[in-house]
Amino acid sequence: AQSVTQPDIHITVSEGASLELRCNYSYGATPYLFWYVQSPGQGLQLLLKYFSGDTLVQGIKGFEAEFKRSQSSFNLRKPSVHWSDAAEYFCAVGPPGSNYKLTFGKGTLLTVNP
Amino acid sequence: DAGVIQSPRHEVTEMGQEVTLRCKPISGHNSLFWYRQTMMRGLELLIYFNNNVPIDDSGMPEDRFSAKMPNASFSTLKIQPSEPRDSAVYFCASSGLAGGRYNEQFFGPGTRLTVL
């Protein structure tokens, strides 16, 4: 069965600092990989996705993520965090070619200090 | 364009009562998903519809839960009778499937359900 682990429940960074959120997955093959962001009281918004090809993917809001097959990881990064980035971030995996059956991690809550 | 619309945004009810959650997907999308989010279990897929037909309901926790999609623009998730452990945020999401290729799921704002 596929699973997603986000080791950090809560991360606090200062505005302007760099950010890396970790995501590890367990899956029999290379899955489709996603990062979503959830602002308070809102639904989830897709930040970026990886299907195949270039292992460094760019997303919205200045985020990027790198797929590392050897480490079964798909970590999310941002060079300089803005106060508006404070939210909860979810990593998700899905079967290649499938439109559904996403498995989500438990999320990482990001707090940004001024 | 309006996104996925869910109603109500908040629902407080008493144990044993029937609860109906509503969702209007994005116009033109042919896939609809119901998710439940709790602190303990995170975000779980309850049921998936494609072209108004339930394709996978393996995530529905028990017979007290039922979902319908009578047309392409409306879906309901019903809990009868409700129990305190059903308290959660319920999300509806929709996507437009094109030739079997994956398309992004767009999430609604969620319904926060509290069962007393």
Side-chain angles (χ1 to χ4, degrees):
Chain A
Q2 57 199 40
S3 66
V4 179
T5 301
Q6 293 181 246
D8 304 306
I9 296 174
H10 187 193
I11 285 183
T12 300
V13 300
S14 298
E15 191 168 17
S18 63
L19 172 70
E20 182 169 30
L21 303 182
R22 295 182 291 164
C23 173
N24 293 96
Y25 66 89
S26 174
Y27 195 76
T30 299
Y32 284 2
L33 296 158
F34 311 87
W35 275 99
Y36 283 83
V37 60
Q38 183 180 24
S39 298
Q42 302 297 314
L44 279 71
Q45 180 185 21
L46 182 67
L47 283 175
L48 48 79
K49 59 184 182 284
Y50 173 80
F51 291 169
S52 65
D54 191 346
T55 57
L56 184 64
V57 293
Q58 303 297 319
I60 62 172
K61 305 185 180 187
F63 285 92
E64 66 178 26
E66 185 172 12
F67 167 59
K68 293 186 176 180
R69 186 191 308 274
S70 61
Q71 299 177 19
S72 296
S73 69
F74 189 57
N75 293 348
L76 182 71
R77 301 194 294 248
K78 187 169 184 178
S80 178
V81 171
H82 189 263
W83 64 266
S84 61
D85 293 324
E88 190 154 21
Y89 292 80
F90 294 89
C91 181
V93 302
S98 171
N99 191 47
Y100 77 110
K101 215 67 172 179
L102 297 184
T103 298
F104 287 83
K106 293 290 183 66
T108 297
L109 180 64
L110 175 65
T111 297
V112 180
N113 287 334
Chain B
D1 284 342
V4 175
I5 299 172
Q6 291 188 247
S7 64
R9 293 293 308 274
H10 301 274
E11 176 81 30
V12 180
T13 190
E14 293 189 344
M15 183 174 62
Q17 296 298 304
E18 177 180 296
V19 175
T20 299
L21 311 181
R22 297 172 176 80
C23 175
K24 177 179 170 56
I26 293 173
S27 177
H29 283 186
N30 61 351
S31 295
L32 184 137
F33 312 81
W34 282 101
Y35 289 88
R36 178 172 67 176
Q37 185 180 40
T38 61
M39 289 291 292
M40 289 298 295
R41 300 174 66 89
L43 198 63
E44 306 171 281
L45 177 66
L46 299 178
I47 187 168
Y48 158 56
F49 290 88
N50 189 43
N51 293 325
N52 312 336
V53 176
I55 302 299
D56 184 348
D57 65 356
S58 60
M60 296 286 264
E62 49 197 278
D63 291 345
R64 297 185 297 106
F65 286 70
S66 63
K68 295 182 179 179
M69 192 164 186
N71 57 62
S73 60
F74 184 66
S75 176
T76 60
L77 178 67
K78 185 177 294 186
I79 308 173
Q80 166 63 14
S82 59
E83 296 182 4
R85 60 195 170 112
D86 301 331
S87 297
V89 181
Y90 291 82
F91 288 102
C92 177
S94 71
S95 72
L97 187 61
R101 187 171 55 87
Y102 177 85
N103 283 291
E104 174 185 352
Q105 293 184 27
F106 291 83
F107 282 75
T111 295
R112 181 174 295 277
L113 173 65
T114 302
V115 183
L116 303 176

